[in-house]
């Protein structure tokens, strides 16, 4: 069977995490194109040597510094040109999230789907704003549009719902969906750190978004709540319909007085079916310490599914990180390869 070809749009932290996993696990796959706004682009129909490319990128080099053995390699194409010319079977979209517009990622995904490519993305913008439209376009072109990396990075949320909870009706999902804010709250409560010191450390550790306002004011968790609502509860809600409050106004004093009452602040994202409609929010909630979500500390994420057949099922795991989010793209690619063989 002919190896499938992969095009990667965006090759920052997530893209490099994916390349590292491909180099190690050696799936039946040719990486034929990589295009990144900051690092440059290459299309090589004979396949890119992933380990050699990683040597360049992990040393802060540009894609053009990679020496291809193939005479057919072309450099410098922009993302749309790359998608249109690379003849890939699968496109992995891993550019930065713009929660307000979903662009330019949405146009990359539309172009790839129109070319008949399967698409996987870790980008919350297109998934939160245009999931229904993109899923329809994928169905029209007989390909898959998978989004495992948009919520809880590689910890299985959509795979779990789609494969393992098949037959269960999910009526509510609620959880800790942002690692940065959970890290900040944990450091403030356990080690008495100031909000600013904890945020600075979360940025250094690489969990925070390029603009950390998205984390602390709840926009990142909001995008995830919208994605969960529309994908798992089959809703059709938009980000501006969901009440949102972040953790930026929670003081050390608030956290201490909650602890004295035996409670703990967590930034909770929740969405619930109420009859035909959906009721969702993002806000700091004082949880009883017996709540499974109260025990989840640091940058870890957790999600409780409420289902008709099993009651509550809670999962916990990483929600950010290079290998963790790279894995979410890898697992979507494996799903596509399995179903497309
Ligand atoms: N900034 C996000 C977080 C990254 O802290 O959870 C993953 O979406």
């Amino acid at each position: 069977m002919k190896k499938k070809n992969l095009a990667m749009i965006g090759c920052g932290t997530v893209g490099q995490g994916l390349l590292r996993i491909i180099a190690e696990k050696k799936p039946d796959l040719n990486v034929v194109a990589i295009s990144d706004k900051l690092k440059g682009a290459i299309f090589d129909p004979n396949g890119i040597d992933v380990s050699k490319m990683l040597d360049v990128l992990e040393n802060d080099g540009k894609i053009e510094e990679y020496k291809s053995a193939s005479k057919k390699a072309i450099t410098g194409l922009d993302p749309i040109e790359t998608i249109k010319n690379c003849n890939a079977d699968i496109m992995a979209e891993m550019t930065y999230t713009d929660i307000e517009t979903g662009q330019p990622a949405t146009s990359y995904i539309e172009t790839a789907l129109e070319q008949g490519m399967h698409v996987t993305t870790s980008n919350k913008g297109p998934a939160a704003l245009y999931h229904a439209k993109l899923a329809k376009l994928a169905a029209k072109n007989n390909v898959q549009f998978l989004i495992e990396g948009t919520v809880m990075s590689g910890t299985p949320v959509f795979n779990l719902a789609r494969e393992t909870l098949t037959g269960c009706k999910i009526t509510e999902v609620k959880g800790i969906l942002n690692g940065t804010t959970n890290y900040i709250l944990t450091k403030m409560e356990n080690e008495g750190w100031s909000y600013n010191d904890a945020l600075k450390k979360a940025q250094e550790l690489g969990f925070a978004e390029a603009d950390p306002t998205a984390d602390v004011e709840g926009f990142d968790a909001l995008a995830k709540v919208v994605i969960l609502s529309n994908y798992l509860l089959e809703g059709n809600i938009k980000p501006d319909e969901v009440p949102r409050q972040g953790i930026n106004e929670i003081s050390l004093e608030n956290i201490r007085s909650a602890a004295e009452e035996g409670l703990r602040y967590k930034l909770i994202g929740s969405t619930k079916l109420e009859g035909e409609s959906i009721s969702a929010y993002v806000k700091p909630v004082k949880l009883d310490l017996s709540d499974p979500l109260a025990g989840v500390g640091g940058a870890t994420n957790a999600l409780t599914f409420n289902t008709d057949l099993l009651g509550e099922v809670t999962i916990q795991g990483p929600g950010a990180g290079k290998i963790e989010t790279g894995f979410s793209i890898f697992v979507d690619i494996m799903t596509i390869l399995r179903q497309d063989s």
Side-chain angles (χ1 to χ4, degrees):
M1 177 125 230
K2 186 179 154 286
K3 271 191 183 184
K4 297 287 179 195
N5 289 340
L6 174 73
M8 296 171 51
I9 305 299
C11 202
T13 310
V14 179
Q16 289 173 44
L18 174 66
L19 285 176
R20 180 63 44 227
I21 295 170
I22 292 175
E24 208 173 293
K25 304 285 178 184
K26 301 185 178 24
D28 216 9
L29 195 69
N30 263 330
V31 179
V32 290
I34 304 177
S35 179
D36 182 272
K37 200 170 86 181
L38 301 175
K39 298 182 184 300
I42 186 164
F43 163 47
D44 185 345
N46 292 332
I48 293 162
D49 181 325
V50 168
S51 297
K52 259 172 68 185
M53 181 60 82
L54 272 169
D55 285 344
V56 173
L57 295 175
E58 290 182 342
N59 286 307
D60 280 334
K62 300 272 188 219
I63 285 173
E64 278 78 2
E65 290 165 36
Y66 161 88
K67 301 273 172 276
S68 173
S70 150
K71 292 213 166 42
K72 291 190 174 160
I74 306 170
T75 55
L77 298 179
D78 71 24
I80 296 284
E81 288 169 333
T82 300
I83 297 164
K84 286 190 170 165
N85 289 290
C86 70
N87 202 21
D89 303 287
I90 306 166
M91 190 271 272
E93 195 287 318
M94 300 168 288
T95 65
Y96 285 114
T97 290
D98 182 326
I99 291 171
E100 279 172 35
T101 66
Q103 294 294 8
T106 303
S107 62
Y108 302 155
I109 294 173
E110 281 172 334
T111 307
L113 294 173
E114 279 158 3
Q115 302 276 311
M117 291 175 198
H118 299 283
V119 172
T120 161
T121 185
S122 53
N123 197 313
K124 289 155 274 187
L129 298 169
Y130 303 114
H131 181 262
K133 184 176 150 199
L134 295 171
K136 210 165 149 193
L137 186 58
K140 186 176 154 210
N141 287 286
N142 221 4
V143 290
Q144 299 198 56
F145 172 53
L146 299 178
I147 59 167
E148 190 58 61
T150 59
V151 180
M152 288 182 78
S153 60
T155 308
V157 172
F158 302 105
N159 277 315
L160 181 80
R162 195 173 52 231
E163 309 290 337
T164 318
L165 294 178
T166 302
C168 279
K169 183 171 173 65
I170 299 168
T171 51
E172 180 181 8
V173 271
K174 179 173 91 171
I176 296 168
L177 296 169
N178 180 269
T180 301
T181 46
N182 206 45
Y183 178 83
I184 294 173
L185 292 173
T186 305
K187 285 292 179 194
M188 286 172 80
E189 181 175 344
N190 293 354
E191 297 177 41
W193 285 18
S194 71
Y195 168 86
N196 284 330
D197 284 350
L199 172 58
K200 197 160 158 267
K201 189 69 185 173
Q203 285 178 287
E204 281 168 24
L205 291 170
F207 316 133
E209 295 296 299
D211 173 2
T213 318
D215 297 294
V216 296
E217 294 190 10
F219 291 102
D220 176 72
L222 168 73
K224 292 166 180 167
V225 163
V226 172
I227 295 168
L228 292 169
S229 305
N230 294 347
Y231 193 96
L232 299 183
L233 304 187
E234 295 174 9
N236 186 20
I237 62 167
K238 306 215 161 27
D240 58 10
E241 293 165 13
V242 179
R244 169 195 53 81
Q245 191 190 333
I247 62 153
N248 44 322
E249 284 169 19
I250 305 266
S251 64
L252 212 44
E253 194 42 50
N254 295 143
I255 290 175
R256 285 190 180 135
S257 78
E260 278 162 19
E261 295 171 67
L263 302 173
R264 178 169 291 148
Y265 272 106
K266 291 289 174 195
L267 184 69
I268 298 295
S270 166
T271 180
K272 188 176 181 179
L273 274 179
E274 281 179 355
E276 295 290 290
S277 56
I278 285 186
S279 163
Y281 65 80
V282 171
K283 66 179 181 200
V285 177
K286 285 193 276 183
L287 297 178
D288 194 275
L289 296 184
S290 63
D291 189 309
L293 297 178
V296 179
T300 303
N301 284 193
L303 197 64
T304 300
F305 299 77
N306 209 337
T307 67
D308 59 349
L309 301 178
L310 296 175
E312 289 193 347
V313 176
T314 299
I315 54 166
Q316 173 179 336
K322 173 177 170 176
I323 294 297
E324 294 83 346
T325 314
F327 172 73
S328 69
I329 299 288
F330 179 78
V331 85
D332 278 349
I333 293 171
M334 290 302 108
T335 302
I336 292 164
L337 292 183
R338 218 171 29 238
Q339 292 175 5
D340 208 33
S341 59

